Amino acid sequence: MKTYQMNNGLTIPAIGFGTYLSKDGEEVYQAVLSALEAGYRHIDTAAYYGNEESIGRAIKDSGIPREELFITTKLWNDAHGYEEAKAALQYSLDRLQLDYLDLYLIHWPNPVQLRDRWQAANADSWRAMEEMVEAGLIRTIGVSNFLVHHMEELLKTAKIIPAVNQLRLAPGVYQTRIVDYCKDKGIVLEAWSPLGRGELFSHPTMLALAEKYGKTVAQIALAWSWSQGFLPLPKSVTPSRIRENLDFQDILLSEEDITAITAIEGVTGAYDPDNISF
Ligand code: NAD
């Protein structure tokens, strides 16, 4: 499995398994077992997804040694703050039945209830996360949905530079300013909804390229993600698709096709994190 190097010297598997909307219980349990069997070693969840407990069981039952896995979860919008973040991490660890996390992310930079004080809230959460790295409860810390002004604000007080920013990035969804900023700082860009949440599957450009390369639309989208240096997090609960979404690593897209994929239109763009309603 290909890995990316992070700015803290650690490595991260270059594809992760998405679990948003994979239902707690049998559905997500079986999906994660299928993913681990197929060869994924990196699982992306969040406190908000409500499925950490079943994912923890699947990890345990898989029998794969803990050190071979890379597990990410996220701090939800109702748990910002120094004490709150510490409690939220412990709650996630308990549900996942883990002693440590590989990656902990601030899920959103500007939750609606913190709109007048998001700067202080992120600074306090981050300070707690830094201490939890020190305490051995987390290996790496990062952010999600942060734009340049959220990063700049965080860096005013941060001792640790975020190693990851998880953003909505897919064919037709390219957040140039923050992507360039992160690349400049060696911050790994994880791509959420790398398959455009299903919107790509009927797109004529994507269909034509799938035909041309003898691959599926999902595989072309994932090859494009790697061509940009992104770390895609495809989600599925169907074993055949879970396997399909790993079988793109031999695709070599031409420069011309990469440009065409980047420029496709009609895919829902990223939310404005300063105006979300949650
Ligand atoms: P996605 O782009 O991965 O698309 C998932 C959809 O595509 C599902 O409906 C699935 O059934 C379908 N699909 C998957 N593989 C397929 C295949 N090979 N052929 C046909 N259909 C296929 O969308 P997503 O779940 O929104 O995003 C992926 C992951 O990113 C999430 O599960 C989650 O882990 C993460 N995420 C993070 C944030 C954030 O704010 N940080 C937000 C959304 C998602």
Side-chain angles (χ1 to χ4, degrees):
M1 171 65 70
K2 168 170 142 166
T3 58
Y4 290 131
Q5 174 102 32
M6 296 187 285
N7 61 13
N8 61 0
L10 299 175
T11 56
I12 180 168
I15 181 165
F17 183 64
T19 63
Y20 180 45
L21 297 180
S22 299
K23 281 198 242 27
D24 194 30
E26 203 51 18
E27 183 173 274
V28 77
Y29 175 80
Q30 291 298 344
V32 171
L33 279 182
S34 291
L36 294 173
E37 201 178 311
Y40 293 82
R41 288 294 177 267
H42 172 180
I43 311 290
D44 183 80
T45 183
Y48 177 68
Y49 303 168
N51 56 17
E52 290 173 317
E53 195 271 332
S54 304
I55 292 176
R57 269 193 305 117
I59 290 169
K60 202 163 191 190
D61 292 352
S62 75
I64 297 170
R66 173 69 185 94
E67 62 276 12
E68 290 178 22
L69 298 173
F70 191 101
I71 311 297
T72 302
T73 193
K74 313 184 191 88
L75 179 76
W76 185 239
N77 295 353
D78 61 1
H80 278 250
Y82 179 75
E83 294 299 341
E84 294 86 343
K86 287 195 166 183
L89 171 77
Q90 195 52 57
Y91 194 49
S92 285
L93 285 174
D94 290 348
R95 277 174 299 177
L96 287 161
Q97 299 184 59
L98 297 177
D99 299 328
Y100 70 92
L101 275 181
D102 295 282
L103 178 62
Y104 198 42
L105 304 176
I106 297 183
H107 206 147
W108 287 92
N110 190 352
V112 68
Q113 69 271 25
L114 298 170
R115 200 128 292 165
D116 55 345
R117 55 196 160 90
W118 59 267
Q119 298 88 338
N122 286 335
D124 289 345
S125 302
W126 195 255
R127 187 162 53 87
M129 289 162 70
E130 290 173 330
E131 286 182 18
M132 292 183 289
V133 171
E134 196 65 34
L137 297 176
I138 318 173
R139 291 267 158 91
T140 298
I141 51 179
V143 296
S144 177
N145 301 301
F146 273 48
L147 301 180
V148 172
H149 60 286
H150 305 119
M151 289 298 236
E152 292 283 289
E153 192 62 41
L154 188 70
L155 291 179
K156 286 183 187 166
T157 52
K159 293 198 201 94
I160 299 177
I161 296 178
V164 167
N165 191 3
Q166 185 178 123
L167 296 169
R168 181 158 184 150
L169 296 167
V173 187
Y174 201 103
Q175 305 191 55
T176 310
R177 237 187 117 228
I178 182 65
V179 163
D180 289 350
Y181 179 92
C182 289
K183 284 189 171 174
D184 215 50
K185 290 202 159 10
I187 296 170
V188 170
L189 286 153
E190 293 189 341
W192 65 257
S193 298
L195 309 176
R197 275 201 177 147
E199 288 178 353
L200 297 172
F201 297 117
S202 54
H203 196 285
T205 306
M206 295 302 288
L207 286 168
L209 288 170
E211 171 98 24
K212 172 176 169 183
Y213 287 89
K215 288 283 188 175
T216 66
V217 166
Q219 291 166 336
I220 297 295
L222 294 167
W224 174 85
S225 199
W226 269 12
S227 78
Q228 302 306 304
F230 300 157
L231 191 163
L233 303 167
K235 175 256 176 176
S236 175
V237 293
T238 310
S240 58
R241 288 177 172 174
I242 290 171
R243 287 191 296 274
E244 176 188 325
N245 295 346
L246 269 190
D247 183 21
F248 67 93
Q249 310 184 24
D250 56 334
I251 304 176
L252 253 184
L253 298 170
S254 71
E255 283 305 321
E256 194 186 356
D257 291 336
I258 290 171
T259 306
I261 296 170
T262 306
I264 69 170
E265 290 179 355
V267 183
T268 305
Y271 309 128
D272 172 0
D274 292 319
N275 282 301
I276 50 168
S277 58
F278 48 89

